[in-house]
Amino acid sequence: MDLDLAMSRALELAAEAASRDEVPVGAVILRDDRVVGEGFNQREIKNDPMSHAELEAIRQASSALSSWRLEGCTLVVTLEPCPMCLAALQQARIARVIYGASDPKGGALSLGYRLHEDPRTNHRFPVEFRPRQECSTILTDFFKKKRSS
């Protein structure tokens, strides 16, 4: 699966989250162009503040690969990871992260947390912002609807 298709799948997962009244974020983990994990926000469903799309995808990929080390894997996610998710990705040894919408109030990079490139850590990885309008729009529409309810 190429990265554009992976982002399209992540958007489908974000739409699934929105349909369940969750903040619409979706994530896909690829290894060798094959999906090994995916997830969407489920904080409300699971009553779990850590049930972010990225963590759900990490859990699924780790299970599929029978390893917590996600070396050689790429995470494609609709929204910039928060500090918790960026730290989890560092711990999982992810190879690369690509995100489609920035998050000025909660995104790790927007807030200045650059754990993924800190030379003091034992694992570093590139994080790339590839803006995609649909990633921003699904969030904007979700919160407009919430405010009007």
Side-chain angles (χ1 to χ4, degrees):
M1 177 179 283
D2 73 16
L3 296 174
D4 285 333
L5 286 174
M7 186 61 81
S8 293
R9 175 63 183 145
L11 280 160
E12 290 173 2
L13 293 163
E16 176 67 21
S19 77
R20 297 175 184 220
D21 207 30
E22 294 280 357
V23 174
V25 179
V28 173
I29 296 179
L30 303 171
R31 180 185 260 175
D32 301 324
D33 296 322
R34 172 173 76 78
V35 174
V36 294
E38 55 184 35
F40 57 87
N41 277 1
Q42 297 182 56
R43 294 184 306 173
E44 302 297 332
I45 295 165
K46 294 183 175 182
N47 292 313
D48 181 354
M50 295 177 290
S51 191
H52 288 204
E54 298 93 329
L55 298 183
E56 294 297 322
I58 288 170
R59 288 182 187 109
Q60 195 175 95
S62 296
S63 179
L65 298 172
S66 299
S67 176
W68 61 268
R69 291 178 183 87
L70 301 182
E71 296 159 334
C73 292
T74 297
L75 172 83
V76 178
V77 63
T78 58
L79 184 64
E80 175 184 352
C82 72
M84 173 183 70
C85 290
L86 191 66
L89 291 159
Q90 191 267 344
Q91 289 297 309
R93 310 297 194 265
I94 200 81
R96 175 170 70 156
V97 173
I98 296 167
Y99 66 97
S102 62
D103 184 359
K105 294 181 180 179
L109 284 78
S110 292
L111 295 172
Y113 298 106
R114 306 194 67 84
L115 179 68
H116 65 288
E117 58 187 25
D118 189 326
R120 296 170 297 176
T121 63
N122 61 355
H123 178 72
R124 288 170 295 286
F125 53 96
V127 175
E128 183 180 340
F129 178 39
R130 289 193 186 180
R132 186 151 163 183
Q133 187 58 48
E134 302 98 317
C135 294
S136 298
T137 301
I138 195 169
L139 287 158
T140 303
D141 291 350
F142 176 80
F143 286 111
K144 275 184 191 173
K145 185 178 174 186
K146 290 295 261 184
R147 284 190 294 273
S148 69
S149 299

